[in-house]
Amino acid sequence: MDKDLEEKRTKCEVYSRVVGYLRPVSQWNRGKQQEFSDRKVFEIKEKE
């Protein structure tokens, strides 16, 4: 990626629910962060 473009980017904070409350993923340990990145998203379509 272009260095000038990289410098203009704004860091986005990602939150996920942990035991009933939201917490930034950046505050998790590396193992949990890797688990989060390995998650798959499923879409369930309703019957018509």
Side-chain angles (χ1 to χ4, degrees), residues 25-45:
V25 174
S26 64
Q27 292 182 0
W28 297 0
N29 65 46
R30 284 187 288 180
K32 290 295 181 189
Q33 287 180 4
Q34 184 61 47
E35 285 180 18
F36 182 80
S37 68
D38 291 343
R39 291 180 186 174
K40 297 198 177 355
V41 177
F42 295 92
E43 185 175 324
I44 299 174
K45 296 183 180 180

Side-chain angles (χ1 to χ4, degrees), residues 6 9-10 16 18 29-30 40 43 47:
E6 186 68 32
R9 295 178 82 183
T10 302
S16 184
V18 179
N29 65 46
R30 284 187 288 180
K40 297 198 177 355
E43 185 175 324
K47 294 181 182 179

